Amino acid sequence: MVKRQVYQPILITDASRSQDDQLRSRQRRYIVMMSIRALCVVLGAILVGAKAPLLWLWLPLCAVGMVLIPWLAVLLANDRPPKDKHRIGARMRRSHIDETPPRALAAEERPHRVIDVEP
């Protein structure tokens, strides 16, 4: 008797995002964060020029934004998602799935193509 392996299809939803998509999203995040930093610089200049009330509170907040945001933007722009083997969710999913590797369909499982031959 021949022991058959269970056929496990590979799902496209399990595929990771392409490197181009990852790069594009990191670039967008960097641009948004640096735009917020530019707004902090402009807001700080406006507050100083207008001699706004509570300047002692607003100016340090703008300064923290001007210093902290670029640092975070560079860290997040260079950060890639962790590999599947390091993700806890992937480890938990794998423990529930039978570890048999996907295989090709046997000859009897393949769809048959009918060829019409006229004599």
Side-chain angles (χ1 to χ4, degrees):
M1 180 178 270
V2 177
K3 186 176 180 180
R4 294 181 134 196
Q5 290 182 345
V6 177
Y7 175 70
Q8 278 187 319
I10 298 174
L11 300 176
I12 190 70
T13 55
D14 290 341
S16 61
R17 290 176 50 199
S18 71
Q19 288 185 356
D20 290 336
D21 286 342
Q22 291 176 17
L23 177 63
R24 206 171 308 119
S25 68
R26 290 193 321 247
Q27 287 173 338
R28 277 191 212 119
R29 190 177 342 151
Y30 180 81
I31 290 171
V32 168
M33 292 182 80
M34 293 308 282
S35 299
I36 292 170
R37 178 195 183 236
L39 287 174
C40 285
V41 171
V42 171
L43 184 64
I46 290 172
L47 288 173
V48 168
K51 296 182 184 171
L54 298 175
L55 188 61
W56 59 270
L57 174 67
W58 296 112
L59 208 51
L61 287 176
C62 287
V64 166
M66 288 185 282
V67 171
L68 189 62
I69 289 176
W71 177 71
L72 287 174
V74 170
L75 282 179
L76 293 175
N78 289 326
D79 187 30
R80 289 191 177 183
K83 300 202 185 283
D84 276 341
K85 67 180 181 180
H86 299 297
R87 288 189 176 170
I88 293 174
R91 288 182 188 171
M92 293 175 74
R93 270 184 278 147
R94 278 193 216 122
S95 66
H96 296 301
I97 297 174
D98 186 6
E99 291 295 330
T100 57
R103 64 175 182 84
L105 293 173
E108 61 270 2
E109 294 174 331
R110 290 189 192 133
H112 297 285
R113 189 166 43 155
V114 178
I115 301 174
D116 237 0
V117 180
E118 293 184 27

